[in-house]
Amino acid sequence: MIVLGYNGFGKAAELFARLYRATGIDRHLLFGHDSAAALIIDGSLVAAVEEERLNREKKTSKFPSNALSWCLESGGVTLDDVDVVAFSWQFSDAVMDRMIAEITEDASASPADKFARLGRLAETYAALFSQEAILADFHEHTGHHLDPGKLVQVPHHLAHLMTGYDLAGGHDAAFLVSDGRAEWLSAIAGEIRGGEIRIFDELSIDSRHSLAMLFSVVTRYLGFVPNNDEYKVMALAGYAPPPETNPLLDHVITVRPDGTYEIPYPASAVPAYYALFDRVFDGTPDRREDFAFRVRVAGAAQQMIEVLTAAQLDALERRSDRSRLIFEGGLALNCVNNTKLLEGSRFTAMDVSFGASDVGVALGAALYAARQAGDAPRTGPSPYLGPEFNRDDILAALDKFSQQVEWREVDPGRVPAETAALLQNESVVGWFQGRMEYGPRALGNRSILANPRFPGMKDLINKRIKQREPFRPFAPVVLEELASEVFETGKKDDSPYMTFVFPVRPAYQDLIQGACHVDGTARIQTVTDESNPPLAELLRLFHELTGVPCLINTSFNVAGEPIVCSPVDALACFLNTDMDHLVLGSFFVRRTPGS
């Protein structure tokens, strides 16, 4: 059986800009962002890639034409061969009834406002959500008339859940899925036993009271892009201890004893929230630009996330006796919170996948549809599912930039040793190897690497390489066998996807200061010889050479750009920054003197 999963709407950006003012700073507040495609053949996950990596538009919501084409080509199949096309949204009649009721039951809205909102919803349904619209969108962008009988519309949160469930090995587990919004809910919780999903409906949170969307409003209040820059708020929170009194918990959020919660306004009520935040934080437009003020608000927002998700977990523990937890959805990218949730719970293990946010739902939709068809998926834990480029591809790219770079080729077995020798100095190296990783994190195949022992390395990379805010930390990549020696990993044995944060042990804080956040923590990636052989060998040789047990690993891109995918992308990024060296497969590249 061949299953093709995807996420993305061809008309979403235009429609949400026109109907819901999703432009400028609010441009990512729409359905279908992080569009992608994934392909399963006879139960094996053979290919997956985000559309942004191919069309070079960060966080794109466009129909994933390029991603679909690449997945099919990679699998050696055509659309005619595909048995099931799985779409990561399901706007059923029952769901639309709930979305309509969300409007009509809003006691704060006037009749005129309700009619206007219903009109916008009707237009959105006709253009995006209905089966007819989905089939038309597919035909417009692929030229293929999809048989309606082959289309499986997967509820968005179940697509998230299947990503986490299958990538974690398909074990029985309790689960929490929490994001901005799915079709009409923002969070669900439950358990999986013997492959059967049971949702505890009383723990569900509707989108009107979305915790992730409230965090996005705080993100916007601090001058960042909502539904994109929440990690910046998380990073800012580390610059001060948690607040002793929290205005968000005291004056904004209402927490119920059953683990659910209420927020005062819908996330679209930005002026009302700005006025409320100004009142409870004593804020002004000018003060919002002050670093100390931003840190104080960010700390309150981070603590709010931690308190409310802990309450959800407490309620889930009372309903499920499973010892393992799956946490998925956009909120699961808050890796500071993830560690605290695990350590503060009775769960003995917790999994957050490399596709926890909406990048993963194309994959999850395919996994769900394959499982429903009786073809139990065999996925494995590897995130390296994207395009790979051979020696000829790399040489063609180098030839294109031959006036600006020079290169030498080494035996592939020598690449880790020669790269380790470069990294013992204060050098920044672009590292491009094998198949591209899937998901929002660079996991060692499209990475920028550096030695964390040098005091100024973080500032150097932020300013001269990544071209981003100076307060943002960098993640260390470390051999799994050394992780617990360097970091206080608690209940975790590994962290292969950078989805958990751990304290750096005091003995190592100076040695890896470039990868240590201001609060003494680090968001780590663990690597084994099985998960990524070249990177593991590089880390081992680097450790032997320098005594430093890890490397800085940050995504191979600059601010506002997707992670590089092809050798051409890598060369263009390299030349647009102050990186010192580029390792393209077995080619060592540097700028031509004087270029």
Side-chain angles (χ1 to χ4, degrees):
M1 171 171 283
I2 300 174
V3 181
L4 181 66
Y6 80 99
N7 176 43
F9 295 94
K11 298 181 176 68
E14 179 277 325
L15 193 75
F16 274 74
R18 178 167 55 83
L19 296 181
Y20 304 100
R21 298 194 293 259
T23 60
I25 195 172
D26 296 322
R27 62 189 177 276
H28 298 308
L29 298 177
L30 74 175
F31 287 91
H33 57 81
D34 297 303
S35 63
L39 182 68
I40 295 175
I41 298 179
D42 296 332
S44 296
L45 177 59
V46 300
V49 66
E50 296 109 300
E51 180 70 9
E52 70 161 26
R53 308 293 167 85
L54 304 176
N55 75 2
R56 310 308 299 160
E57 297 177 16
K58 190 171 179 65
K59 209 173 173 67
T60 187
S61 63
K62 290 182 177 178
F63 186 93
S65 305
N66 298 294
L68 284 173
S69 296
W70 178 82
C71 285
L72 293 168
E73 181 181 351
S74 179
V77 297
T78 69
L79 281 171
D80 289 328
D81 300 319
V82 172
D83 298 294
V84 176
V85 173
F87 186 52
S88 59
W89 299 89
Q90 186 192 80
F91 292 95
S92 63
D93 290 349
V95 166
M96 293 311 302
D97 284 344
R98 290 299 313 179
M99 294 177 74
I100 292 168
E102 186 179 22
I103 296 171
T104 59
E105 295 173 6
D106 183 357
S108 66
S110 68
D113 180 52
K114 290 178 182 179
F115 281 123
R117 288 165 60 188
L118 287 169
R120 290 192 292 270
L121 179 60
E123 186 172 349
T124 305
Y125 178 78
L128 296 186
F129 296 163
S130 68
Q131 177 171 291
E132 294 77 13
I134 293 167
L135 292 170
D137 201 26
F138 195 89
H139 176 256
E140 179 181 344
H141 292 92
T142 66
H144 182 84
H145 285 286
L146 179 61
D147 180 351
K150 290 186 174 183
L151 176 65
V152 175
Q153 297 176 61
V154 180
H156 188 74
H157 278 152
L158 293 188
H160 273 303
L161 175 59
M162 286 298 101
T163 302
Y165 175 68
D166 281 306
L167 293 178
H171 306 292
D172 285 1
F175 66 81
L176 173 63
V177 179
S178 185
D179 57 7
R181 71 171 293 159
E183 291 83 0
W184 71 276
L185 291 172
S186 68
I188 62 170
E191 64 178 16
I192 304 181
R193 291 178 184 258
E196 295 295 318
I197 301 168
R198 183 185 177 197
I199 297 173
F200 302 146
D201 290 330
E202 69 275 16
L203 301 183
S204 296
I205 308 291
D206 64 38
S207 61
R208 167 63 178 75
H209 298 284
S210 170
L211 177 60
M213 289 302 294
L214 178 57
F215 197 74
S216 289
V217 177
V218 175
T219 301
R220 192 187 196 281
Y221 177 74
L222 294 179
F224 303 124
V225 177
N227 201 25
N228 187 70
D229 289 350
E230 284 73 15
Y231 57 91
K232 298 180 183 181
V233 178
M234 182 180 70
L236 277 173
Y239 280 81
E244 293 183 6
T245 59
N246 189 323
L248 295 175
L249 293 173
D250 293 342
H251 305 294
V252 178
I253 290 275
T254 302
V255 186
R256 302 190 190 101
D258 64 359
T260 61
Y261 43 81
E262 294 181 358
I263 65 175
Y265 314 118
S268 59
V270 171
Y273 272 117
Y274 275 36
L276 176 59
F277 294 160
D278 279 347
R279 178 170 59 81
V280 300
F281 287 107
D282 192 25
T284 65
D286 288 341
R287 196 166 292 161
R288 292 176 213 150
E289 302 297 321
D290 177 73
F291 185 76
F293 180 82
R294 283 179 155 193
V295 167
R296 184 162 67 91
V297 175
Q302 179 64 29
Q303 187 183 61
M304 172 188 73
I305 292 288
E306 295 167 7
V307 169
L308 268 64
T309 50
Q312 288 178 284
L313 231 58
D314 286 344
L316 181 57
E317 288 179 348
R318 292 193 292 270
R319 290 297 314 274
S320 174
D321 62 359
R322 300 295 85 192
S323 61
R324 193 177 199 99
L325 175 69
I326 296 166
F327 187 24
E328 294 289 304
L331 208 62
L333 289 185
N334 192 305
C335 45
V336 172
N337 182 41
N338 293 345
T339 307
K340 293 180 179 180
L341 283 178
L342 175 59
E343 296 301 327
S345 74
R346 64 156 178 78
F347 293 106
T348 59
M350 176 175 170
D351 295 294
V352 181
S353 78
F354 57 78
S357 62
D358 271 18
V359 299
V361 294
L363 199 162
L367 293 167
Y368 178 92
R371 190 172 292 279
Q372 290 295 103
D375 196 11
R378 302 178 301 280
T379 55
S382 176
Y384 308 110
L385 301 167
E388 184 174 21
F389 299 85
N390 60 30
R391 180 177 182 274
D392 289 342
D393 297 325
I394 293 173
L395 281 170
L398 288 168
D399 186 62
K400 183 177 180 179
F401 291 89
S402 60
Q403 299 301 307
Q404 298 164 275
V405 299
E406 56 188 33
W407 61 89
R408 61 185 177 89
E409 186 176 11
V410 304
D411 182 273
R414 289 288 305 159
V415 170
E418 296 211 19
T419 306
L422 294 175
L423 287 164
Q424 69 179 318
N425 302 311
E426 203 167 354
S427 294
V428 180
V429 176
W431 176 257
F432 183 104
Q433 303 291 324
R435 293 187 73 171
M436 183 171 196
E437 50 270 82
Y438 189 84
R441 309 292 185 222
L443 297 175
N445 280 8
R446 302 291 188 275
S447 291
I448 294 172
L449 304 176
N451 189 333
R453 75 182 305 169
F454 296 105
M457 186 57 75
K458 180 174 83 79
D459 292 338
L460 184 152
I461 300 176
N462 269 328
K463 183 177 181 180
R464 291 172 45 198
I465 311 296
K466 300 287 285 186
Q467 302 163 17
R468 66 185 201 180
E469 298 91 347
F471 62 80
R472 291 169 58 186
F474 290 106
V477 57
V478 63
L479 288 168
E480 184 181 302
E481 65 206 53
L482 295 177
S484 62
E485 176 186 330
V486 183
F487 307 97
E488 298 176 14
T489 54
K491 296 179 182 179
K492 292 293 292 181
D493 296 320
D494 62 4
S495 178
Y497 311 131
M498 290 188 187
T499 48
F500 291 86
V501 164
F502 304 107
V504 181
R505 294 192 184 277
Y508 287 92
Q509 289 185 8
D510 284 339
L511 186 61
I512 64 166
Q513 57 190 285
C516 184
H517 196 28
V518 66
D519 61 356
T521 65
R523 183 191 72 197
I524 77 170
Q525 178 195 0
T526 56
V527 173
T528 66
D529 291 319
E530 294 73 32
S531 67
N532 193 322
L535 185 58
E537 179 68 4
L538 170 58
L539 286 163
R540 189 167 286 110
L541 293 171
F542 178 76
H543 187 212
E544 292 173 1
L545 191 63
T546 65
V548 180
C550 61
L551 286 165
I552 289 174
N553 175 18
T554 187
S555 55
F556 197 155
N557 64 338
V558 296
E561 295 285 333
I563 298 173
V564 302
C565 177
S566 71
V568 169
D569 299 335
L571 283 158
C573 184
F574 171 69
L575 290 168
N576 193 41
T577 70
D578 288 338
M579 263 183 276
D580 299 291
H581 305 278
L582 171 60
V583 183
L584 274 175
S586 57
F587 291 86
F588 283 73
V589 184
R590 65 180 184 180
R591 290 172 184 78
T592 302
S595 67

